[in-house]
Amino acid sequence: MIRRKLLAVSVAGLCITTASMVQAQPVQHETEVSILGSYIKPDKDRVDDYGTAIRAMYSHRLSRHWWLEPQFFAGILETGVDGGTDFYQQGLGADFNYRLFGAESFTPYVSIGAGVSRNDVFNTSGNEFNGYANAALGLISSPFSDAGLSVRADARYLWDSFEEDYSDLHFSLGLTVPIGATRTRIVEKTVVIEKPVVVEKSFADSDGDGVVDGVDQCPNTLEGLEVNAVGCVETSQAQTVVLQGVTFEFNSDRLTANAKDILISTADALKGQTDLNVELAGYTDSQGSAAYNRELSQERANAVRAYLLDLGVDPAQLTANGYGEANPVRSNDTEEGRERNRRVEFNVVSDAAGEGV
C-alpha cells in the first residue's frame, strides 16, 4: 500500500483512566476479641433464681468458616435466700466456632466446646473443680465502625458436671473487635498519559497490491501476486499462490461454506483482469494410494473451477489439474504438514511459456 505523509504534528493527547470511589470493603482479619454480658437461667436443682456473668473470648481464624475460640467466663447465681451467700461459678475452655458466611459480614454461627469449671457455694471455704461442655447458636453483625466493631449475641446451653450435673442456659450480648484488621479501599485515581499524535493522509489501495485505486486498472488482485504499474497481475513470468482456506469436506470434493466465501474474491480478481489465465492445481497428502489421491485432487480442482464458473468467470481463463500427493510443501509425517499439503494452488499461466505451470 502506498502512503504519502502530508502533515505530521505532535500534540498532547490525553488518555484518562478513572477508578470511581467506592465504599470501603469489609474488614479483613485473622483474630478478634469479644466481651459479652450474660443473663443465666440456672438449672432449677441448682438455684431457684437467676444469674449474671461476663464472658471474654479470643477468636482465631482456622479457615474461611472455622474459628478456634479460647474463653473465660465468671458468674454469680442468685440463691434468693435472704442473708445467704450467692453461688459463684467460673469456667475456662475453648470452642470450635463455625460461621456460615465467613467473617466479613453479618453471619449466624454455631459453637461447641468444653473446659474446666470452678464452683464456690454457700459460705464454704472450699470449692470444687469439674468439667463442663457447651453448645451455642448466635449471630455476629456486620462491622458498624471504621475499627470493625460488631455486635455479637448468642444463646448457650452449658452442662456442668458439678455435684448432680447441672444444665444452665446463658443468653449473651456484647461487642466483637478485630485485632490487626486491614481494610481495602479503592481510591479515585486519574492517570494522564501524553503521547504524540501523527496526522496522516493516505491514498486508498483497496486490494493492497501497492497501486492506489485511482491508478489501479485491475481491482481485487489476489494477495501475493506481483502486479505491474497499473495494478494488473504480471503474466510475463510464472506465479503461484495457495488459495488459503479453500478446503473440502472429509474425503470429498465438496467445498466447505468457508471455501465458497473465499472463492468469491478469487472470482472478482479473475473478472477484473480478463486476460489473466490460470491453472487450478489440486494436491493431497500422502495418505491413501497414489492413484486415489491423484483422482481426488483432480475432482477437487474441478470443483473449484466449476464454482468459479458459477460466479461468472470466463471458462477460457481456467484449467484444472490434479497432482495427487506430488510436490509436498511440508512433511507428511505430521498432521500439520499433511494439512498444509492438502491445498489448491492458483498458478498464473505465463505468456512467455504459453502453457500452464
Side-chain angles (χ1 to χ4, degrees):
M1 180 181 292
I2 295 178
R3 286 196 171 192
R4 184 170 300 174
K5 187 180 296 183
L6 299 182
L7 175 65
V9 294
S10 178
V11 297
L14 297 182
C15 177
I16 301 176
T17 303
T18 302
S20 300
M21 176 73 74
V22 300
Q23 189 174 9
Q25 297 300 304
V27 171
Q28 308 289 322
H29 61 282
E30 299 299 319
T31 57
E32 62 190 29
V33 171
S34 300
I35 304 294
L36 293 84
S38 301
Y39 171 83
I40 303 175
K41 181 175 176 54
D43 192 309
K44 62 182 179 60
D45 292 331
R46 188 197 293 267
V47 295
D48 292 328
D49 221 325
Y50 67 94
T52 57
I54 187 169
R55 183 180 297 271
M57 311 170 72
Y58 173 82
S59 305
H60 177 72
R61 186 200 296 265
L62 302 176
S63 65
R64 169 169 165 73
H65 295 283
W66 284 100
W67 295 67
L68 177 64
E69 295 188 326
Q71 56 194 275
F72 170 79
F73 69 90
I76 301 174
L77 303 178
E78 302 288 343
T79 62
V81 177
D82 292 339
T85 302
D86 294 328
F87 189 117
Y88 299 97
Q89 183 188 42
Q90 300 89 40
L92 179 65
D95 287 356
F96 285 104
N97 175 270
Y98 181 86
R99 303 184 185 183
L100 186 61
F101 304 138
E104 289 73 42
S105 62
F106 167 84
T107 180
Y109 67 83
V110 295
S111 295
I112 188 169
V116 176
S117 64
R118 174 183 176 275
N119 293 271
D120 186 1
V121 190
F122 302 133
N123 267 334
T124 61
S125 58
N127 54 68
E128 186 172 346
F129 287 92
N130 304 94
Y132 80 86
N134 66 184
L137 291 174
L139 297 169
I140 300 176
S141 74
S142 299
F144 61 85
S145 74
D146 289 340
L149 282 172
S150 301
V151 174
R152 178 168 182 168
D154 67 34
R156 184 178 302 266
Y157 169 84
L158 189 146
W159 172 84
D160 189 348
S161 64
F162 174 61
E163 290 186 345
E164 300 177 7
D165 298 341
Y166 296 121
S167 298
D168 306 322
L169 296 176
H170 291 222
F171 301 95
S172 303
L173 178 68
L175 295 175
T176 296
V177 59
I179 301 174
T182 59
R183 186 186 294 273
T184 303
R185 292 179 181 270
I186 300 176
V187 181
E188 183 176 2
K189 184 178 181 180
T190 301
V191 179
V192 179
I193 302 174
E194 293 189 1
K195 60 181 181 180
V197 177
V198 177
V199 180
E200 294 185 351
K201 184 176 180 180
S202 59
F203 295 106
D205 177 14
S206 301
D207 58 5
D209 61 0
V211 179
V212 296
D213 291 349
V215 179
D216 199 338
Q217 297 180 12
C218 298
N220 305 312
T221 304
L222 289 181
E223 183 179 356
L225 293 176
E226 294 186 17
V227 298
N228 56 25
V230 293
C232 295
V233 175
E234 185 61 69
T235 59
S236 61
Q237 57 184 3
Q239 298 190 59
T240 296
V241 292
V242 176
L243 297 179
Q244 299 290 351
V246 175
T247 56
F248 303 84
E249 295 181 13
F250 177 73
N251 205 28
S252 167
D253 62 353
R254 289 189 295 274
L255 289 162
T256 62
N258 184 61
K260 291 181 179 180
D261 290 340
I262 293 171
L263 287 174
I264 292 174
S265 61
T266 304
D268 291 341
L270 289 165
K271 290 186 286 186
Q273 185 175 345
T274 57
D275 64 338
L276 177 62
N277 299 319
V278 300
E279 176 199 35
L280 301 169
Y283 292 92
T284 67
D285 58 35
S286 63
Q287 293 186 321
S289 68
Y292 175 79
N293 287 335
R294 191 160 43 251
E295 179 181 356
L296 179 60
S297 65
Q298 182 65 57
E299 291 173 351
R300 288 179 170 178
N302 290 341
V304 173
R305 182 177 186 273
Y307 189 68
L308 291 173
L309 295 182
D310 289 342
L311 294 174
V313 177
D314 187 345
Q317 291 182 263
L318 300 171
T319 59
N321 292 304
Y323 296 97
E325 58 194 63
N327 303 326
V329 295
R330 292 288 188 277
S331 170
N332 279 300
D333 293 333
T334 66
E335 178 57 36
E336 187 272 338
R338 290 190 293 271
E339 183 178 350
R340 294 291 297 275
N341 289 334
R342 297 190 294 268
R343 66 195 189 279
V344 175
E345 290 182 349
F346 185 99
N347 296 329
V348 176
V349 176
S350 170
D351 293 336
E355 60 182 8
V357 177

